[in-house]
Amino acid sequence: QVRLVESGGGLVQPGGSLRLSCACSGTIFNINTMGWYRQGPGKERELVATITSPGTTNYADFVKGRFTVSKDNTKNTVYLQMNSLKPEDTAVYYCNVQGRKYSFSTTYSLYWGQGTQVTVSS
C-alpha cells in the first residue's frame, strides 16, 4: 500500500514561514510528479506547486515568489517551503504523488495524503 504522510502544518502569524514535508512509503514505481494542493473553506482543491522527475517546477500564480517546492528522491519526500504567509493561505494542504502501481503498468496512478492544516492568523 502506498501511503503519503504530510507534516509541518500549524498556526503562524501573517508574514511567517512554515515548511511542509510529505513522505511517500510503500511500493510505487517511476514517480513522475510530486506536489502540493490545498483546499480552503468553501473552495475547491487547487494546485499550489508541483515538481517533476527531471526537476521542473510549476507554481500557482498566488504563491510565486513566496513558496518553493523541492524533493529528495532517495527518501521519496517532497517539501514545500512557505514564506511571507498570508491569511488567504489558510487551508488544508494535501500532498499528491503520481507514479506507477506496478512495474509493468502502462498508466500512472494518483495518490493523496490526508492533509495538514495551515492557519495564518494574528
Side-chain angles (χ1 to χ4, degrees), residues 47-93:
L47 182 147
V48 176
T50 61
I51 183 167
T52 66
S53 182
T56 302
T57 57
N58 179 49
Y59 296 95
D61 288 339
F62 53 81
V63 302
K64 287 182 178 178
R66 299 189 298 122
F67 292 8
T68 302
V69 63
S70 61
K71 63 176 180 176
D72 184 338
N73 291 330
T74 64
K75 298 180 179 180
N76 277 354
T77 300
V78 62
Y79 307 93
L80 184 67
Q81 178 66 48
M82 305 185 294
N83 299 323
S84 301
L85 284 163
K86 305 174 181 179
E88 50 263 45
D89 293 320
T90 296
V92 177
Y93 285 71

Side-chain angles (χ1 to χ4, degrees), residues 14-36:
S17 299
L18 284 174
R19 185 172 185 259
L20 305 183
S21 298
C22 174
C24 178
S25 62
T27 302
I28 187 169
F29 301 90
N30 304 109
I31 293 176
N32 181 52
T33 305
M34 306 181 79
W36 295 91

